[in-house]
Amino acid sequence: MAKLLKGAPVAEALTSGLSVRVRKLRERGIVPTLVILRVGEQEAGQSYERAAKKACAAAGVETFSVVLPENSPREAVLHAVRSINSEPGVHGALLLRPMPDAETERAACRELSPAKDVDGICPASLASVFTGGSEGFAPCTARAVMELLDYYAVPLSGSRAGVIGRSLVVGKPLTMLLGARDATVTLCHSKTRGLAEICRASDIVVCAVGRAGLIGADCFAPGQVVIDVGTNVTPEGLRGDADFEAAQQLAAAVTPVPGGIGRITSAILALHTVEAAERA
Ligand code: NAP
């Protein structure tokens, strides 16, 4: 039976280390603050918003939300982003996505100051992930996967990692972060041939697809670490992308959904906000 790699202890370790840093900032009159910008109701985004607020509260980071109506014109959204950029009391910004209009979302990501981009969405942040630079921040979920691997002492150097899903939120930045730690990464997607074979040959399999149970028994092998980033709402509740029972039987270790990467992602958001306040 595979070892369960729970997210809670990783998140707690990250958050407890933050308390001292937050206290030092507050002694200097700096209250690390995260603003969450939401356009419309964005049901999926609201659970991230709740989790972010909870994780920030646990770390001593202040949060507040700016909510714009669903049909806000692009200029109103960009104006809100510019106000966030120029507000010295705000250190980090989370732009909830997807926004109702994809082009507005892209423009808002471009507009956000890298210094406040604690979820790694603006071009400068992503460029830093790819170049190893220090401007902006890595996307929280990609960093969450790295934190979990480190917490559970999963060897990375020389390992083979199969990353399934090539979004800018998870798969692509994670490929860079793993590569920077000397893993050899195969980035897989919907057109990949021989996905199961690639996965079976990997020491680490990261599932970031968004389809419940898609990654099945044929993808797992003894000794493997399976990281399930997927969060899919199903009639049976929240499910990951991996067939959890199969991974538990075949692999060496697996993250649960819920209770895995998601929990760490919110803690990273708090961590990045504190880092942004320290840099400012
Ligand atoms: P996304 O932007 O929709 O990307 C999905 C990726 O999966 C694409 O690269 C797609 O390939 C690939 N894909 C689709 N069908 C496939 C198949 N049959 N075989 C192999 N690859 C396939 O998704 P995302 O934003 O990265 O999110 C992925 C999942 O992670 C979702 O469940 C999301 O809710 C979850 N998530 C969780 C967290 C967290 O903190 N826990 C954070 C972010 C996302 P193509 O590029 O070829 O289309």
Side-chain angles (χ1 to χ4, degrees):
M1 201 60 119
K3 177 180 174 182
L4 206 54
L5 304 179
K6 292 188 181 173
V10 188
E12 275 151 27
L14 287 166
T15 308
S16 69
L18 274 183
S19 309
V20 177
R21 291 164 67 177
V22 171
R23 199 172 59 239
K24 282 186 182 156
L25 282 166
R26 285 180 179 255
E27 281 166 7
R28 289 164 51 204
I30 301 164
V31 179
T33 300
L34 173 77
V35 61
I36 300 169
L37 175 64
R38 171 154 53 87
V39 183
E41 283 318 304
Q42 283 182 255
E43 210 40 63
Q46 285 191 43
S47 60
Y48 190 18
E49 184 175 352
R50 282 190 293 274
K53 285 185 169 172
K54 198 171 157 194
C56 285
V61 172
E62 296 287 327
T63 53
F64 68 92
S65 299
V66 171
V67 182
L68 299 178
E70 174 109 23
N71 55 358
S72 296
R74 185 165 309 157
E75 197 40 48
V77 177
L78 296 184
H79 181 263
V81 176
R82 286 185 206 113
S83 302
I84 289 168
N85 287 345
S86 61
E87 172 51 59
V90 167
H91 305 99
L94 172 62
L95 273 51
L96 287 184
R97 300 178 295 161
M99 288 184 180
D101 177 64
E103 189 44 50
T104 297
E105 178 181 309
R106 277 191 285 276
C109 291
R110 283 195 300 271
E111 194 70 34
L112 183 62
S113 158
K116 299 190 179 185
D117 180 22
V118 288
D119 203 15
I121 61 171
C122 79
S125 292
L126 290 167
S128 285
V129 174
F130 279 64
T131 61
S134 58
E135 205 181 357
F137 294 86
C140 291
T141 308
R143 182 163 175 194
V145 173
M146 299 303 291
E147 293 289 343
L148 179 131
L149 291 167
D150 283 343
Y151 181 89
Y152 288 106
V154 176
L156 296 180
S157 182
S159 69
R160 288 161 300 178
V163 174
I164 317 165
R166 56 178 164 180
S167 72
L168 280 175
V169 180
V170 193
K172 281 179 182 162
L174 182 59
T175 295
M176 292 298 129
L177 296 177
L178 285 166
R181 296 281 300 277
D182 300 324
T184 302
V185 187
T186 307
L187 181 58
C188 307
H189 46 78
S190 65
K191 310 292 187 297
T192 297
R193 282 203 304 266
L195 178 72
E197 199 182 324
I198 293 167
C199 290
R200 280 198 309 276
S202 299
D203 305 300
I204 300 164
V205 173
V206 181
C207 315
V209 174
R211 287 177 59 184
L214 178 83
I215 310 305
D218 58 345
C219 293
F220 305 131
Q224 232 173 28
V225 174
V226 178
I227 311 290
D228 197 348
V229 176
T231 46
N232 308 290
V233 180
T234 75
E236 293 80 42
L238 207 58
R239 291 285 181 272
D241 291 338
D243 176 338
F244 182 73
E245 283 71 30
Q248 248 192 338
Q249 286 188 5
L250 294 165
V254 60
T255 59
V257 178
I261 292 298
R263 181 78 198 275
I264 310 169
T265 298
S266 331
I268 297 286
L269 195 63
L271 172 67
H272 282 175
T273 305
V274 172
E275 283 178 8
E278 288 169 343
R279 289 182 195 177

